[in-house]
Amino acid sequence: MGQAIAFYTLAACILGFGVLVITAKNTVHSVMFLVVNFLFVAGLYVLLGAQFLAVIQVVVYAGGIVVLYLFVVMLVNLKRPPEAHQDRRRRGRLGVTCSLVVLAELVAIAAYKYVSPAAGLPPALPMGPDNVAQVGMLLYTDYLIPFELASMLLLVAMVGAIVLAKRDL
Amino acid sequence: MTPITPVHYMVLSAALFIIGVIGVMTRRNIIVILMSIELMLNAVNINLVAFSNLWQNAAGQVFVIFVICVAAAEAAVGLGIILAFYRNKETVNIDEMSLMRW
């Protein structure tokens, strides 16, 4: 019961702020709504028993990435805001396409509900209360090479961002 | 009230993903478009964590860490490109970003 209330509250907030992100006229407001959205998603992770990811979500997304967006919004000082697309027919077609995609997805989900799920991944590490230890153990044993690749990716992205944003090399 | 099943999380994830898709397709400001992409990545993450919880297997959470890592790299490089483009063309409207169209 408590879990259901928490889920529906979090889901309503996530979807509501998601809609606000893409409808807000002012880009700074969009970024602020994005922060709130990420915080509610972190709450959902706690509900799902992934405490480590909730902390990562708050620190990396709400703390790091969004600050990057804010910096760019402030550096890109717009004299005239770019308008939304005004072509009505294009909007209509877009709406139909998106609704059809949603419909297909929901039908697939409902079908999944009635077909019994496939019989079983081997439970590699049963999740207990010690979420951080399990994620860390997987990260440094089974997924060591992807982990190192991810660190290389971050390094390359850092160098690339500096080169792109630098005024004159 | 019915208990919360993975289906609930999948529907939430699908809805959030579609919000991101609609943002990408309807907005003309490229910063908002990048934010919509972040929304879509978050929808994927919710799905991964929900299934990690269903199977009681922490591998899904490891993949969420990789997704967050790629999202950070994408945001850094994408915003760098936006800054470089803005310095040359003084716009963030994607309708005016047609340098490579022929």
Side-chain angles (χ1 to χ4, degrees), chain A residues 90-164:
Chain A
R90 184 182 159 140
R91 279 236 169 130
R93 267 180 284 143
L94 186 66
V96 171
T97 313
C98 286
S99 337
L100 285 179
V101 171
V102 176
L103 186 67
E105 264 181 296
L106 292 183
V107 167
I109 291 169
Y112 166 85
K113 193 177 178 182
Y114 292 110
V115 176
S116 60
L121 300 172
L125 283 173
M127 291 206 302
D130 201 357
N131 176 252
V132 182
Q134 276 158 7
V135 173
M137 182 59 84
L138 271 180
L139 207 54
Y140 283 103
T141 53
D142 290 1
Y143 295 95
L144 182 62
I145 292 175
F147 180 72
E148 298 295 338
L149 280 178
S151 65
M152 279 310 290
L153 174 70
L154 280 180
L155 179 66
V156 171
M158 187 172 75
V159 174
I162 292 171
V163 169
L164 280 171

Side-chain angles (χ1 to χ4, degrees), chain A residues 30-97:
Chain A
S30 253
V31 178
M32 290 304 164
F33 291 135
L34 195 68
V35 176
V36 184
N37 188 308
F38 285 161
L39 292 180
F40 281 116
V41 173
L44 202 68
Y45 290 165
V46 173
L47 193 64
L48 280 166
Q51 293 91 357
F52 180 62
L53 280 186
V55 174
I56 292 285
Q57 174 92 5
V58 172
V59 171
V60 175
Y61 263 123
I65 294 180
V66 168
V67 171
L68 206 61
Y69 277 100
L70 262 188
F71 265 116
V72 171
V73 171
M74 287 172 192
L75 286 174
V76 177
N77 182 20
L78 287 182
K79 286 141 205 115
R80 54 187 176 85
E83 300 96 32
H85 215 278
Q86 289 305 327
D87 189 349
R88 287 228 158 258
R89 284 186 52 213
R90 184 182 159 140
R91 279 236 169 130
R93 267 180 284 143
L94 186 66
V96 171
T97 313

